[in-house]
Amino acid sequence: MHVNLIKGFWCRSLCAAAMLASVTAYAEDAAPSPVQSPLSIGGAIRFNYVYKNWQADHPHGFFGLDTARLDVNYDDGQWIGSAQYRYNDYPKGQGDYNQHFLHHGWVGTRFADKSTVHVGLDKIPFGLQPFASNNFYESISFYTGFEDTYDLGVTYASKPGPMEWQLGFYPRDGGSYGGSSNTARKSNRYSYNIVADESAQGYGTGQKDSEHNTLVGRVAWHVGPGEKQEVGLSALTGEIDNGANQTSRRNAFAVHYKGTFGPVGIMLEALRYNYNTRHTASQTYGGLDPNSFVMLGAFGYPYPVAAKGDIFIANVSYDIAGSIGPFTGFKIYNDFSMLKKRVGNYKDSLQNVTGMSFSAGKWYFYTDFMAGRHQPYMGPDFGGLASTPAKYDGVNHRVNLQAGYYF
């Protein structure tokens, strides 16, 4: 039902925008030239090969469909809109399930000064943008809900310039607008939010938290020759509803730097967050303090994350000029991120990805070698972003080779 409501709202708004728009183009002293449609429809289909050194039952890794998606975008200069729907399919080595969901869907307007307003399910303006990473799997900030995160609300972005700022208010989180097979319903979404712990696929804590009324602000200054360097500040605050008519707050603050020096790219970010939860003594697992962790969920499953922590990100990349046959746009990179947990004696989580991306026409490729410790997607320690046993203290490795066709 939520999917139909979102789709209906988006389609009605898009149709209204199309009727209001009047786009004509004439060449001087010549016949009228063709008018480019403001509406575009595209998508992608992606396949990947994955090898995990901790999966003895898949000693040679596995290959399969990763994602199929449909994109719809509208821009007539004044009225704008965008939506994307995704289908994910995971083989046995990835959980043996499938899911589909609304990735994002918003409509908006562009003002005369080039500032914009979006209304709908949209990316929140926090930290490094558009991503705090170069690789396909992003950084630890993604898995804690602070990178590439989408919520339902209103976002304002100032006009482009040496100083830009964004402000967003989101009464609801990213929502579960879709379906899945054998997964936790509340976690059927793209980006990580605080979710209720559905015991069939979760940890059986009985926590029923959800995010509400999140306010996000971000300001960035573009400095140096050609304004190719960016320094920025971000802040986030919002409510946590524990499902028992009690609310508490979550807060986060980040500083970031992004710059290019010829072919070299640098990304740096430092982030501190606090989830001030209200859990009862029974809402826990393994004897842990019930307020030392909170459940976050996406891609069908929830997992625990330390309630307080600091995240550090340091990425470097290098663009290689030229081409090899049909292949071009080569970028090599190393992305490092770390979560230092500020609760109990929880052990730090580490993630490092060394890789290369390149393209050939409409094909785009990632080759990533990943190493991590206490990271849910880089080892068997699915609860690694919170408390973790000593048997998982070793570093695990994962190889991801992906080919995607974008149309």
Side-chain angles (χ1 to χ4, degrees):
M1 182 175 183
H2 290 105
V3 176
N4 292 332
L5 289 173
I6 291 291
K7 288 181 177 177
F9 170 75
W10 192 88
C11 291
R12 288 193 298 270
S13 300
L14 189 59
C15 291
M19 289 188 292
L20 287 171
S22 176
V23 181
T24 57
Y26 295 93
E28 185 177 356
D29 297 325
S33 60
V35 178
Q36 184 177 357
S37 172
L39 178 66
S40 63
I41 299 175
I45 183 167
R46 301 193 299 232
F47 304 88
N48 64 356
Y49 165 80
V50 175
Y51 167 76
K52 307 175 186 178
N53 76 325
W54 64 92
Q55 282 191 329
D57 54 339
H58 293 276
H60 305 295
F62 46 86
F63 172 84
L65 172 70
D66 175 72
T67 304
R69 78 185 204 198
L70 176 66
D71 300 295
V72 180
N73 294 287
Y74 184 90
D75 187 344
D76 67 10
Q78 178 182 1
W79 298 100
I80 50 179
S82 180
Q84 183 183 109
Y85 204 84
R86 291 194 178 193
Y87 170 82
N88 290 342
D89 187 79
Y90 302 104
K92 288 185 178 180
Q94 292 278 76
D96 193 21
Y97 70 101
N98 60 70
Q99 61 178 175
H100 55 90
F101 49 74
L102 183 68
H103 176 272
H104 70 268
W106 55 264
V107 295
T109 188
R110 182 182 292 111
F111 299 104
D113 66 354
K114 305 302 181 183
S115 62
T116 59
V117 168
H118 296 178
V119 180
L121 185 61
D122 195 14
K123 180 182 287 192
I124 70 170
F126 188 88
L128 286 161
Q129 294 290 318
F131 304 101
S133 52
N134 298 288
N135 72 89
F136 176 74
Y137 277 84
E138 307 193 39
S139 74
I140 278 183
S141 62
F142 173 72
Y143 302 96
T144 50
F146 296 107
E147 177 185 0
D148 198 17
T149 301
Y150 291 79
D151 286 343
L152 184 64
V154 181
T155 309
Y156 173 83
S158 70
K159 66 179 181 180
M163 187 188 82
E164 299 180 54
W165 60 276
Q166 298 90 37
L167 184 66
F169 177 69
Y170 309 94
R172 295 283 302 275
D173 64 12
S176 301
Y177 307 113
S180 61
S181 63
N182 193 35
T183 58
R185 182 177 59 85
K186 292 290 187 180
S187 296
N188 187 54
R189 62 186 71 203
Y190 171 75
S191 54
Y192 284 91
N193 297 110
I194 298 174
V195 297
D197 184 11
E198 298 170 287
S199 57
Q201 291 84 13
Y203 282 71
T205 65
Q207 293 184 10
K208 299 179 180 179
D209 296 334
S210 58
E211 299 176 10
H212 295 282
N213 299 326
T214 299
L215 180 65
V216 183
R218 179 182 184 271
V219 61
W221 294 267
H222 301 276
V223 298
E227 298 180 358
K228 292 185 178 180
Q229 301 182 61
E230 176 183 293
V231 178
L233 304 173
S234 302
L236 177 153
T237 186
E239 296 177 352
I240 302 175
D241 186 333
N242 72 352
N245 297 319
Q246 293 180 317
T247 60
S248 55
R249 298 208 70 81
R250 64 186 185 112
N251 301 293
F253 178 80
V255 296
H256 74 266
Y257 168 82
K258 183 178 183 179
T260 57
F261 304 88
V264 178
I266 301 291
M267 298 183 198
L268 302 172
E269 184 170 301
L271 186 161
R272 169 163 286 197
Y273 72 87
N274 293 290
Y275 292 119
N276 299 303
T277 59
R278 291 190 174 185
H279 299 147
T280 64
S282 63
Q283 291 179 311
T284 188
Y285 73 102
L288 300 176
D289 176 355
N291 289 305
S292 67
F293 68 93
V294 66
M295 301 299 295
L296 268 66
F299 297 99
Y301 291 93
Y303 55 61
V305 175
K308 297 180 181 180
D310 297 325
I311 296 174
F312 301 99
I313 297 171
N315 306 330
V316 61
S317 64
Y318 187 89
D319 293 324
I320 303 175
S323 60
I324 302 175
F327 303 105
T328 188
F330 292 94
K331 179 191 290 288
I332 57 175
Y333 48 79
N334 191 86
D335 294 346
F336 173 82
S337 56
M338 174 175 63
L339 167 61
K340 294 187 68 67
K341 302 158 191 172
R342 296 185 293 110
V343 288
N345 294 313
Y346 291 2
K347 300 169 185 175
D348 297 343
S349 295
L350 303 174
Q351 172 181 322
N352 193 83
V353 184
T354 302
M356 178 172 63
S357 60
F358 54 97
S359 62
K362 294 184 178 181
W363 286 91
Y364 200 84
F365 304 89
Y366 283 98
T367 61
D368 290 330
F369 177 77
M370 312 163 72
R373 180 170 59 218
H374 310 317
Q375 206 276 33
Y377 285 78
M378 293 188 194
D381 186 10
F382 201 63
L385 292 177
S387 178
T388 184
K391 67 178 181 178
Y392 293 133
D393 284 349
V395 175
N396 291 291
H397 305 284
R398 178 179 185 137
V399 175
N400 183 68
L401 307 177
Q402 182 165 113
Y405 181 78
Y406 293 77
F407 56 91

